[in-house]
Coordinates of all heavy atoms in Angstrom, one line a residue:
M1 N 24.3 14.4 -5.3 CA 22.9 13.8 -5.8 C 22.2 15.0 -6.5 O 22.0 16.1 -6.0 CB 22.2 13.3 -4.6 CG 20.8 12.9 -4.9 SD 20.4 11.1 -4.8 CE 21.4 10.4 -3.7
K2 N 21.6 14.6 -7.7 CA 20.9 15.5 -8.5 C 19.4 15.7 -8.0 O 18.8 14.6 -7.5 CB 20.8 15.0 -10.0 CG 22.1 15.3 -10.7 CD 21.9 15.0 -12.2 CE 21.9 13.5 -12.4 NZ 21.7 13.1 -13.8
E3 N 18.9 16.9 -8.0 CA 17.5 17.1 -7.5 C 16.5 16.9 -8.7 O 15.3 16.6 -8.5 CB 17.3 18.4 -6.8 CG 18.1 18.6 -5.6 CD 17.4 17.8 -4.5 OE1 16.2 17.7 -4.4 OE2 18.1 17.3 -3.7
H4 N 17.0 17.1 -9.9 CA 16.2 17.1 -11.1 C 16.8 16.1 -12.0 O 17.9 16.0 -12.2 CB 16.0 18.4 -11.7 CG 15.3 19.4 -10.8 ND1 13.9 19.3 -10.6 CD2 15.8 20.5 -10.0 CE1 13.6 20.3 -9.7 NE2 14.7 20.9 -9.4
C5 N 15.9 15.3 -12.7 CA 16.4 14.4 -13.6 C 16.2 14.9 -15.0 O 15.1 15.3 -15.5 CB 15.5 13.1 -13.5 SG 16.0 11.8 -14.7
G6 N 17.3 14.9 -15.8 CA 17.2 15.4 -17.2 C 16.8 14.3 -18.2 O 16.8 14.6 -19.3
H7 N 16.6 13.1 -17.6 CA 16.3 12.0 -18.5 C 15.2 11.2 -17.9 O 15.2 9.9 -18.1 CB 17.5 11.3 -18.8 CG 18.4 10.9 -17.6 ND1 18.0 10.0 -16.6 CD2 19.4 11.6 -17.0 CE1 18.9 10.1 -15.6 NE2 19.7 11.0 -15.9
S8 N 14.3 11.8 -17.4 CA 13.2 11.0 -16.7 C 12.4 10.1 -17.5 O 11.9 9.1 -17.1 CB 12.3 12.0 -15.9 OG 11.7 12.9 -16.8
T9 N 12.2 10.5 -18.7 CA 11.4 9.5 -19.7 C 12.2 8.2 -19.9 O 11.5 7.2 -19.8 CB 11.2 10.2 -21.1 OG1 10.7 11.5 -20.8 CG2 10.2 9.5 -21.9
D10 N 13.5 8.3 -20.1 CA 14.3 7.1 -20.3 C 14.3 6.4 -19.0 O 14.3 5.1 -18.9 CB 15.7 7.5 -20.6 CG 15.8 8.0 -22.1 OD1 14.9 7.6 -22.8 OD2 16.7 8.6 -22.4
C11 N 14.4 7.1 -17.8 CA 14.5 6.4 -16.5 C 13.2 5.7 -16.2 O 13.3 4.5 -15.8 CB 14.8 7.5 -15.4 SG 16.5 8.0 -15.4
L12 N 12.1 6.3 -16.5 CA 10.8 5.7 -16.2 C 10.6 4.4 -17.1 O 10.2 3.4 -16.6 CB 9.6 6.7 -16.5 CG 8.2 6.2 -16.2 CD1 8.1 5.9 -14.8 CD2 7.2 7.1 -16.7
K13 N 11.1 4.5 -18.3 CA 11.0 3.4 -19.2 C 11.9 2.2 -18.7 O 11.4 1.0 -18.6 CB 11.6 3.7 -20.6 CG 10.4 3.9 -21.6 CD 11.1 4.1 -23.0 CE 10.5 5.3 -23.8 NZ 11.4 5.7 -24.9
M14 N 13.0 2.5 -18.1 CA 13.9 1.5 -17.7 C 13.4 0.9 -16.3 O 13.4 -0.3 -16.0 CB 15.4 2.1 -17.4 CG 16.0 1.9 -18.7 SD 17.9 2.1 -18.4 CE 18.1 3.9 -18.1
I15 N 12.8 1.8 -15.5 CA 12.2 1.4 -14.2 C 11.1 0.3 -14.5 O 11.0 -0.7 -13.9 CB 11.7 2.6 -13.4 CG1 12.9 3.3 -12.8 CG2 10.8 2.2 -12.2 CD1 12.5 4.7 -12.3
Q16 N 10.3 0.7 -15.5 CA 9.2 -0.2 -15.8 C 9.7 -1.6 -16.4 O 9.1 -2.6 -15.9 CB 8.2 0.4 -16.8 CG 7.3 1.5 -16.0 CD 6.5 2.3 -16.9 OE1 6.8 2.5 -18.1 NE2 5.5 3.1 -16.4
L17 N 10.7 -1.5 -17.2 CA 11.2 -2.8 -17.7 C 11.8 -3.7 -16.5 O 11.5 -4.8 -16.4 CB 12.5 -2.5 -18.6 CG 12.2 -2.1 -19.9 CD1 13.6 -1.7 -20.8 CD2 11.6 -3.4 -20.7
I18 N 12.4 -3.0 -15.5 CA 13.0 -3.7 -14.5 C 11.8 -4.3 -13.6 O 11.9 -5.5 -13.1 CB 13.9 -2.9 -13.6 CG1 15.2 -2.7 -14.4 CG2 14.1 -3.5 -12.3 CD1 16.1 -1.6 -13.8
L19 N 10.9 -3.6 -13.3 CA 9.7 -4.0 -12.5 C 9.0 -5.1 -13.2 O 8.4 -6.0 -12.5 CB 8.8 -2.9 -12.1 CG 9.4 -1.9 -11.1 CD1 8.5 -0.8 -10.9 CD2 9.9 -2.5 -9.8
D20 N 8.9 -5.1 -14.5 CA 8.3 -6.1 -15.3 C 9.3 -7.3 -15.4 O 8.9 -8.4 -16.0 CB 7.9 -5.7 -16.7 CG 6.7 -4.7 -16.6 OD1 6.0 -4.8 -15.7 OD2 6.5 -4.0 -17.6
G21 N 10.5 -7.3 -15.0 CA 11.4 -8.3 -15.1 C 11.9 -8.5 -16.5 O 12.3 -9.6 -16.8
E22 N 11.8 -7.4 -17.3 CA 12.1 -7.6 -18.8 C 13.5 -6.9 -19.1 O 13.9 -6.9 -20.2 CB 11.0 -7.1 -19.6 CG 9.9 -8.1 -19.7 CD 8.7 -7.4 -20.3 OE1 8.7 -6.3 -20.8 OE2 7.6 -8.1 -20.3
A23 N 14.1 -6.3 -18.1 CA 15.4 -5.6 -18.4 C 16.5 -6.5 -18.6 O 16.6 -7.5 -18.0 CB 15.7 -4.6 -17.3
T24 N 17.4 -6.1 -19.4 CA 18.7 -6.9 -19.7 C 19.6 -6.5 -18.6 O 19.5 -5.5 -17.8 CB 19.3 -6.6 -21.1 OG1 19.7 -5.2 -21.1 CG2 18.4 -6.9 -22.2
E25 N 20.7 -7.3 -18.4 CA 21.8 -7.0 -17.4 C 22.3 -5.6 -17.7 O 22.7 -4.8 -16.7 CB 22.8 -8.1 -17.5 CG 22.3 -9.5 -17.1 CD 23.3 -10.0 -16.1 OE1 24.4 -9.6 -16.0 OE2 22.7 -11.0 -15.5
Q26 N 22.5 -5.3 -18.9 CA 23.1 -3.9 -19.3 C 22.2 -2.9 -18.8 O 22.6 -1.8 -18.3 CB 23.2 -3.9 -20.8 CG 24.5 -3.2 -21.3 CD 24.5 -3.3 -22.9 OE1 23.7 -3.7 -23.5 NE2 25.7 -2.7 -23.3
Q27 N 20.9 -3.1 -19.0 CA 20.0 -2.0 -18.6 C 19.9 -1.9 -17.1 O 19.8 -0.9 -16.6 CB 18.5 -2.3 -19.2 CG 18.4 -2.0 -20.6 CD 17.2 -2.5 -21.3 OE1 16.6 -3.6 -20.9 NE2 16.5 -1.7 -22.0
L28 N 19.9 -3.0 -16.4 CA 19.9 -3.0 -15.0 C 21.2 -2.3 -14.5 O 21.0 -1.4 -13.6 CB 20.0 -4.5 -14.4 CG 18.7 -5.2 -14.3 CD1 19.1 -6.6 -14.0 CD2 17.9 -4.5 -13.2
A29 N 22.3 -2.5 -15.0 CA 23.6 -1.8 -14.5 C 23.5 -0.3 -14.9 O 23.8 0.5 -14.0 CB 24.7 -2.4 -15.4
R30 N 22.9 0.0 -15.9 CA 22.8 1.4 -16.3 C 21.8 2.1 -15.3 O 22.0 3.2 -14.8 CB 22.2 1.6 -17.7 CG 23.1 2.5 -18.5 CD 22.5 2.5 -20.0 NE 21.7 3.8 -20.3 CZ 20.8 3.8 -21.3 NH1 20.8 2.8 -22.3 NH2 20.2 4.9 -21.5
L31 N 20.7 1.6 -15.1 CA 19.8 2.2 -14.1 C 20.3 2.3 -12.8 O 20.0 3.2 -12.0 CB 18.5 1.3 -14.0 CG 17.3 2.0 -13.4 CD1 16.5 2.9 -14.3 CD2 16.4 1.1 -12.6
K32 N 21.1 1.2 -12.3 CA 21.6 1.4 -11.0 C 22.5 2.7 -10.9 O 22.5 3.4 -9.8 CB 22.5 0.1 -10.8 CG 22.3 -0.5 -9.3 CD 23.1 -1.7 -9.1 CE 23.5 -1.7 -7.6 NZ 24.8 -2.5 -7.4
V33 N 23.3 2.9 -11.9 CA 24.2 4.0 -11.9 C 23.3 5.3 -11.8 O 23.6 6.2 -11.1 CB 25.2 4.1 -13.2 CG1 25.9 5.4 -13.3 CG2 26.0 2.8 -13.1
N34 N 22.3 5.3 -12.6 CA 21.3 6.4 -12.6 C 20.7 6.6 -11.3 O 20.7 7.7 -10.8 CB 20.2 6.2 -13.6 CG 20.4 6.9 -15.0 OD1 21.2 7.7 -15.2 ND2 19.8 6.3 -16.0
L35 N 20.2 5.6 -10.7 CA 19.5 5.8 -9.5 C 20.4 6.3 -8.3 O 19.9 6.9 -7.3 CB 18.9 4.4 -9.0 CG 17.7 4.0 -9.8 CD1 17.2 2.7 -9.3 CD2 16.6 5.0 -9.8
E36 N 21.7 6.0 -8.4 CA 22.6 6.3 -7.3 C 23.0 7.8 -7.4 O 23.3 8.4 -6.5 CB 23.8 5.5 -7.4 CG 23.8 4.2 -6.7 CD 24.8 3.2 -7.1 OE1 25.8 3.7 -7.8 OE2 24.7 2.1 -6.7
S37 N 22.6 8.5 -8.5 CA 23.0 9.8 -8.6 C 21.8 10.7 -8.8 O 21.8 12.0 -9.0 CB 23.9 10.0 -9.8 OG 23.3 9.7 -11.0
C38 N 20.6 10.2 -8.8 CA 19.4 10.8 -9.3 C 18.2 10.7 -8.3 O 17.6 9.7 -8.2 CB 19.1 10.3 -10.7 SG 18.0 11.4 -11.7
K39 N 17.9 11.7 -7.6 CA 16.9 11.6 -6.6 C 15.6 11.4 -7.0 O 14.9 10.5 -6.6 CB 17.1 12.9 -5.6 CG 16.4 12.7 -4.4 CD 16.4 14.1 -3.6 CE 15.4 14.1 -2.4 NZ 15.3 15.4 -1.9
P40 N 15.1 12.2 -8.0 CA 13.8 11.9 -8.6 C 13.5 10.5 -9.1 O 12.4 9.9 -8.9 CB 13.5 13.0 -9.6 CG 14.7 13.5 -9.9 CD 15.6 13.3 -8.7
C41 N 14.5 10.0 -9.6 CA 14.4 8.5 -10.1 C 14.3 7.4 -9.0 O 13.7 6.5 -9.2 CB 15.6 8.2 -11.1 SG 15.4 9.2 -12.6
I42 N 15.0 7.6 -7.9 CA 14.9 6.8 -6.9 C 13.4 6.9 -6.3 O 12.9 5.8 -6.1 CB 15.8 7.2 -5.6 CG1 17.3 7.2 -6.2 CG2 15.6 6.3 -4.4 CD1 18.3 7.6 -5.1
E43 N 12.9 8.0 -6.1 CA 11.5 8.1 -5.7 C 10.6 7.5 -6.7 O 9.7 6.9 -6.3 CB 11.2 9.7 -5.6 CG 11.8 10.2 -4.2 CD 11.8 11.7 -4.1 OE1 11.3 12.3 -5.0 OE2 12.5 12.2 -3.2
M44 N 10.8 7.7 -8.0 CA 9.9 7.2 -9.1 C 9.9 5.6 -9.0 O 8.9 5.1 -9.1 CB 10.3 7.7 -10.4 CG 9.4 7.4 -11.4 SD 9.6 8.5 -12.9 CE 11.2 8.2 -13.4
Y45 N 11.2 5.2 -8.7 CA 11.4 3.8 -8.8 C 10.5 3.1 -7.6 O 9.8 2.2 -7.8 CB 12.8 3.4 -8.5 CG 13.0 1.9 -8.4 CD1 13.0 1.0 -9.3 CD2 13.3 1.3 -7.1 CE1 13.3 -0.4 -9.2 CE2 13.6 0.1 -6.9 CZ 13.5 -0.8 -7.9 OH 13.7 -2.2 -7.8
H46 N 10.6 3.7 -6.4 CA 9.8 3.2 -5.3 C 8.3 3.4 -5.4 O 7.6 2.5 -5.1 CB 10.2 3.9 -4.0 CG 11.7 3.5 -3.5 ND1 11.9 2.2 -3.2 CD2 12.9 4.1 -3.5 CE1 13.2 2.1 -2.9 NE2 13.7 3.3 -3.1
L47 N 7.9 4.5 -6.1 CA 6.6 4.7 -6.3 C 6.0 3.6 -7.4 O 4.9 3.0 -7.1 CB 6.3 6.1 -6.8 CG 4.8 6.7 -7.0 CD1 4.3 7.1 -5.6 CD2 4.8 7.8 -7.9
E48 N 6.7 3.5 -8.4 CA 6.3 2.4 -9.4 C 6.2 1.1 -8.7 O 5.3 0.3 -9.1 CB 7.3 2.5 -10.5 CG 7.2 3.7 -11.5 CD 5.9 3.7 -12.4 OE1 5.5 2.6 -12.8 OE2 5.3 4.8 -12.5
K49 N 7.2 0.8 -7.9 CA 7.2 -0.5 -7.3 C 6.0 -0.7 -6.5 O 5.4 -1.8 -6.5 CB 8.5 -0.6 -6.6 CG 8.9 -2.0 -6.3 CD 10.2 -2.0 -5.6 CE 10.5 -3.4 -4.8 NZ 11.5 -3.4 -3.8
E50 N 5.6 0.4 -5.6 CA 4.5 0.2 -4.8 C 3.3 0.0 -5.6 O 2.4 -0.7 -5.3 CB 4.4 1.4 -4.0 CG 4.5 1.3 -2.5 CD 4.7 2.6 -1.7 OE1 3.6 3.2 -1.6 OE2 5.8 2.9 -1.3
V51 N 3.0 0.7 -6.7 CA 1.8 0.7 -7.6 C 1.8 -0.7 -8.0 O 0.7 -1.3 -8.1 CB 1.9 1.8 -8.6 CG1 0.8 1.5 -9.7 CG2 1.7 3.2 -8.0
K52 N 2.8 -1.3 -8.5 CA 2.9 -2.5 -9.1 C 2.5 -3.6 -8.1 O 1.7 -4.5 -8.4 CB 4.3 -2.8 -9.8 CG 4.1 -3.8 -10.9 CD 5.4 -3.9 -11.5 CE 5.3 -5.1 -12.6 NZ 4.3 -4.9 -13.5
E53 N 3.0 -3.5 -6.9 CA 2.7 -4.4 -5.9 C 1.2 -4.4 -5.5 O 0.5 -5.5 -5.3 CB 3.5 -4.2 -4.7 CG 4.8 -4.9 -4.7 CD 5.9 -4.4 -3.7 OE1 5.5 -3.6 -2.7 OE2 7.0 -4.7 -3.9
L54 N 0.5 -3.2 -5.5 CA -0.8 -3.1 -5.2 C -1.7 -3.8 -6.3 O -2.5 -4.4 -6.0 CB -1.1 -1.5 -5.1 CG -1.0 -0.9 -3.7 CD1 -1.2 0.5 -3.8 CD2 -2.1 -1.5 -2.8
L55 N -1.2 -3.5 -7.5 CA -1.9 -4.0 -8.7 C -1.9 -5.6 -8.7 O -2.9 -6.2 -9.0 CB -1.4 -3.5 -9.9 CG -1.8 -2.1 -10.4 CD1 -1.0 -1.6 -11.7 CD2 -3.3 -2.0 -10.6
T56 N -0.8 -6.0 -8.4 CA -0.6 -7.6 -8.3 C -1.4 -8.1 -7.2 O -2.1 -9.2 -7.4 CB 0.8 -7.9 -8.0 OG1 1.7 -7.1 -8.8 CG2 1.1 -9.4 -8.2
K57 N -1.5 -7.5 -6.0 CA -2.4 -8.0 -4.9 C -3.9 -8.1 -5.4 O -4.6 -9.0 -5.1 CB -2.2 -7.1 -3.8 CG -1.1 -7.6 -2.8 CD -1.0 -6.7 -1.6 CE 0.4 -6.8 -1.0 NZ 0.6 -5.7 -0.2
R58 N -4.2 -7.0 -5.9 CA -5.6 -6.8 -6.5 C -6.0 -7.9 -7.5 O -7.0 -8.5 -7.4 CB -5.8 -5.5 -7.2 CG -6.6 -4.5 -6.4 CD -7.1 -3.5 -7.4 NE -7.8 -2.4 -6.7 CZ -8.3 -1.3 -7.1 NH1 -8.1 -1.2 -8.5 NH2 -8.9 -0.5 -6.5
M59 N -5.1 -8.2 -8.5 CA -5.2 -9.2 -9.5 C -5.4 -10.5 -8.7 O -6.3 -11.4 -9.2 CB -4.2 -9.2 -10.5 CG -4.6 -8.3 -11.6 SD -3.3 -7.7 -12.6 CE -2.6 -9.2 -13.2
E60 N -4.6 -10.8 -7.8 CA -4.6 -12.1 -7.1 C -6.1 -12.3 -6.5 O -6.6 -13.4 -6.5 CB -3.6 -12.2 -5.9 CG -2.3 -12.6 -6.5 CD -1.0 -12.4 -5.6 OE1 -1.3 -12.0 -4.5 OE2 0.2 -12.6 -6.0
K61 N -6.5 -11.3 -5.9 CA -7.8 -11.4 -5.2 C -8.9 -11.6 -6.3 O -9.8 -12.4 -6.0 CB -8.1 -10.0 -4.5 CG -7.9 -10.0 -3.1 CD -8.4 -8.7 -2.4 CE -7.8 -8.5 -1.1 NZ -8.1 -7.1 -0.6
R62 N -8.7 -10.9 -7.3 CA -9.9 -11.1 -8.4 C -9.8 -12.4 -9.0 O -10.8 -13.0 -9.5 CB -9.6 -10.0 -9.5 CG -10.9 -9.5 -10.1 CD -10.7 -8.6 -11.2 NE -10.3 -7.2 -10.6 CZ -9.6 -6.3 -11.4 NH1 -9.5 -6.5 -12.6 NH2 -9.4 -5.0 -10.8
C63 N -8.7 -13.1 -8.9 CA -8.4 -14.4 -9.6 C -8.9 -15.5 -8.7 O -8.8 -16.6 -9.1 CB -7.0 -14.5 -10.1 SG -6.7 -13.6 -11.5
C64 N -9.2 -15.1 -7.5 CA -9.7 -16.2 -6.6 C -11.0 -16.8 -6.9 O -12.1 -16.1 -6.7 CB -9.6 -15.7 -5.1 SG -10.1 -16.8 -3.9
P65 N -11.1 -17.9 -7.5 CA -12.4 -18.4 -8.0 C -13.5 -18.7 -6.9 O -14.7 -18.5 -7.1 CB -12.1 -19.6 -8.8 CG -10.7 -20.0 -8.5 CD -10.1 -18.9 -7.7
E66 N -13.0 -19.2 -5.8 CA -13.9 -19.6 -4.8 C -14.7 -18.4 -4.2 O -15.9 -18.3 -4.1 CB -13.3 -20.2 -3.5 CG -13.1 -21.8 -3.7 CD -12.2 -22.3 -2.8 OE1 -12.3 -22.0 -1.6 OE2 -11.3 -23.1 -3.1
Q67 N -14.0 -17.3 -3.9 CA -14.5 -16.1 -3.6 C -15.5 -15.5 -4.5 O -16.5 -15.0 -4.2 CB -13.5 -15.1 -3.2 CG -13.8 -14.1 -2.1 CD -12.9 -13.0 -1.8 OE1 -11.6 -13.2 -2.1 NE2 -13.2 -12.0 -1.2
L68 N -15.0 -15.6 -5.7 CA -15.9 -15.0 -6.9 C -17.2 -15.7 -6.9 O -18.2 -15.1 -7.0 CB -15.0 -15.2 -8.2 CG -15.6 -14.4 -9.4 CD1 -15.4 -12.9 -9.2 CD2 -14.9 -14.9 -10.6
V69 N -17.1 -17.0 -6.9 CA -18.4 -17.8 -6.9 C -19.2 -17.5 -5.8 O -20.5 -17.2 -5.9 CB -18.1 -19.4 -6.9 CG1 -19.2 -20.2 -6.6 CG2 -17.3 -19.8 -8.2
A70 N -18.6 -17.3 -4.5 CA -19.5 -16.9 -3.4 C -20.1 -15.6 -3.6 O -21.3 -15.3 -3.3 CB -18.6 -16.9 -2.1
T71 N -19.3 -14.6 -4.1 CA -19.9 -13.2 -4.4 C -21.0 -13.4 -5.3 O -22.1 -12.7 -5.1 CB -18.8 -12.4 -4.9 OG1 -17.6 -12.5 -4.0 CG2 -19.2 -10.9 -4.9
I72 N -20.9 -14.0 -6.4 CA -21.9 -14.2 -7.4 C -23.1 -14.8 -6.9 O -24.2 -14.4 -7.0 CB -21.4 -15.0 -8.6 CG1 -20.3 -14.1 -9.3 CG2 -22.6 -15.2 -9.6 CD1 -19.6 -14.9 -10.4
K73 N -23.0 -15.9 -6.1 CA -24.0 -16.5 -5.4 C -24.9 -15.7 -4.5 O -26.1 -15.6 -4.5 CB -23.6 -17.8 -4.7 CG -23.5 -19.0 -5.5 CD -23.2 -20.4 -4.6 CE -23.0 -21.5 -5.4 NZ -22.3 -22.6 -4.6
S74 N -24.2 -14.9 -3.7 CA -24.8 -14.0 -2.8 C -25.6 -12.9 -3.5 O -26.6 -12.5 -3.0 CB -23.8 -13.3 -1.7 OG -23.0 -12.5 -2.4
K75 N -25.1 -12.6 -4.6 CA -25.7 -11.5 -5.4 C -27.1 -12.1 -6.1 O -28.0 -11.4 -6.1 CB -24.9 -11.0 -6.6 CG -23.9 -9.9 -6.1 CD -23.3 -9.1 -7.2 CE -22.5 -8.0 -6.6 NZ -21.4 -7.6 -7.5
I76 N -26.9 -13.3 -6.5 CA -28.1 -13.9 -7.1 C -29.2 -14.0 -6.0 O -30.3 -13.8 -6.3 CB -27.7 -15.2 -7.6 CG1 -26.7 -15.1 -8.8 CG2 -29.0 -16.1 -8.1 CD1 -26.2 -16.4 -9.3
L77 N -28.7 -14.4 -4.9 CA -29.7 -14.6 -3.7 C -30.4 -13.3 -3.4 O -31.6 -13.2 -3.0 CB -29.0 -15.1 -2.4 CG -28.7 -16.6 -2.6 CD1 -27.9 -17.0 -1.3 CD2 -30.0 -17.4 -2.5
T78 N -29.7 -12.2 -3.4 CA -30.1 -10.9 -3.1 C -31.2 -10.4 -4.1 O -32.2 -9.9 -3.8 CB -29.0 -9.8 -3.1 OG1 -27.8 -10.3 -2.4 CG2 -29.5 -8.5 -2.4
F79 N -30.9 -10.8 -5.4 CA -31.8 -10.3 -6.4 C -33.0 -11.2 -6.6 O -33.9 -10.8 -7.3 CB -31.0 -10.1 -7.8 CG -30.3 -8.9 -7.7 CD1 -28.8 -8.9 -7.7 CD2 -30.8 -7.6 -7.7 CE1 -28.0 -7.8 -7.7 CE2 -30.1 -6.4 -7.6 CZ -28.7 -6.6 -7.7
S80 N -33.0 -12.4 -6.1 CA -34.0 -13.4 -6.4 C -35.1 -13.3 -5.3 O -34.9 -12.7 -4.3 CB -33.5 -14.8 -6.6 OG -32.9 -15.2 -5.4
Ligands
ZN1 ZN1 17.1 10.0 -13.8

């Protein structure tokens, strides 16, 4: 297993494609080979995945209209 990645820019691009669900089968296969031999890329993959999950959760919260309306109403009440 490699401790350093000599192609981290490419790896990051591919990781982001996969997490966005936009990678082709060929890219998926290539990244899988990379990840099996490349320690920093495995770590990067998990980190990116976590960040993405966090962002998704946040967006879901923000998109909740009922809660948003309640928040706005309570703010209006506070200021009036
Ligand atoms: Zn790599």
Side-chain angles (χ1 to χ4, degrees):
M1 174 109 33
K2 285 187 283 178
E3 290 291 324
H4 295 285
C5 179
H7 43 78
S8 54
T9 314
D10 286 341
C11 287
L12 182 64
K13 260 188 224 162
M14 276 197 283
I15 288 168
Q16 281 169 342
L17 275 177
I18 286 168
L19 292 177
D20 286 339
E22 286 168 4
T24 61
E25 294 229 343
Q26 218 177 2
Q27 285 173 316
L28 276 170
R30 234 176 98 193
L31 187 87
K32 225 184 145 202
V33 174
N34 265 340
L35 287 181
E36 275 162 10
S37 61
C38 198
K39 199 180 162 195
C41 288
I42 298 172
E43 284 166 7
M44 191 157 63
Y45 175 76
H46 288 295
L47 190 75
E48 288 285 321
K49 203 177 160 194
E50 246 171 71
V51 169
K52 206 173 170 63
E53 274 165 12
L54 270 174
L55 283 176
T56 310
K57 269 183 208 160
R58 253 201 182 173
M59 266 159 63
E60 276 167 7
K61 260 190 199 166
R62 214 182 285 166
C63 286
C64 176
E66 272 169 48
Q67 206 185 342
L68 191 68
V69 170
T71 310
I72 292 169
K73 270 188 187 166
S74 70
K75 275 199 180 150
I76 292 171
L77 283 173
T78 315
F79 283 111
S80 60

